Amino acid sequence: MSTIDRPMPPLNADERTTLEGWLDFHRATLAVKCDGLDDAQAATASAPPSGFTLTGLVQHMAEVERNWFRRVLTGERVAPIYDPQADPDGPDGGFAVAEGATLRDALTTWQAEITRSRELCAARSLTDTGSIRGQAVSLRWIYVHMIEEYARHNGHADLLRERIDGMTGV
């Protein structure tokens, strides 16, 4: 049983509250999928031949948060977290788990990016835009994309976690 409280998205709220509620639900779902694992379990590629791991997935989502809210929405020029030599305008990485990397460190970094994302969004409306590849993209679109990104990867996390210790259904 997880020790992490996963907030239920509101059933009848305005658009922004609904979008933020679903995004927070999916963020918490990923944390629940990692809860109670040690570093070896979280770094286990549990669905060979894929090298996909829960630690790598958390690292990736830190990169995704950084990319969409800091780079795209605000135009901030920040380097990738896990591969500083990577092209900041390239695909979100973070999947590779370096020797000595820990789940705890990945979760801490990811939570810091989530906190920064919330701060950056708080003063913006859903119609405020950032830019990707020279095209305007609204905060509304970014929220919907992030919900989709988390939902897809939470499906991966379900499979990984079930292969590690049999936990299902969260």
Side-chain angles (χ1 to χ4, degrees):
M1 187 60 107
S2 177
T3 61
I4 296 170
D5 180 36
R6 187 170 64 162
M8 175 67 178
L11 298 175
N12 187 16
D14 63 84
E15 180 183 17
R16 185 179 190 122
T17 302
T18 300
L19 290 170
E20 289 175 348
W22 274 106
L23 183 53
D24 285 341
F25 173 84
H26 282 294
R27 286 167 170 159
T29 298
L30 181 56
V32 167
K33 290 297 175 185
C34 296
D35 192 40
L37 296 178
D38 62 32
D39 291 332
Q41 290 171 309
T44 299
S46 61
S50 172
F52 207 58
T53 68
L54 284 169
T55 299
L57 184 54
V58 171
Q59 290 178 170
H60 172 68
M61 292 313 297
E63 294 284 11
V64 170
E65 292 274 349
R66 175 174 279 213
N67 183 54
W68 285 99
F69 293 111
R70 294 175 73 177
R71 289 190 196 108
V72 173
L73 182 63
T74 70
E76 187 178 345
R77 298 293 299 169
V78 289
I81 302 163
Y82 294 99
D83 184 3
Q85 306 309 313
D87 177 2
D89 297 320
D92 300 319
F95 288 112
V97 178
E99 188 174 328
T102 67
L103 176 60
R104 181 181 178 151
D105 287 347
L107 289 167
T108 299
T109 299
W110 173 58
Q111 287 296 332
E113 289 298 325
I114 290 170
T115 297
R116 186 68 181 129
S117 296
R118 287 182 178 132
E119 291 168 357
L120 293 170
C121 293
R124 290 177 167 76
S125 74
L126 292 177
T127 58
D128 284 355
T129 60
S131 177
I132 183 164
R133 295 181 209 98
Q135 300 232 344
V137 58
S138 70
L139 176 57
R140 175 185 290 106
W141 191 98
I142 292 169
Y143 274 158
V144 171
H145 172 71
M146 291 297 290
I147 292 165
E148 177 277 328
E149 179 98 10
Y150 272 101
R152 180 168 29 95
H153 284 314
N154 282 336
H156 299 136
D158 279 339
L159 295 172
L160 290 167
R161 183 63 189 252
E162 184 175 6
R163 294 276 304 197
I164 292 167
D165 67 2
M167 186 182 95
T168 61
V170 178

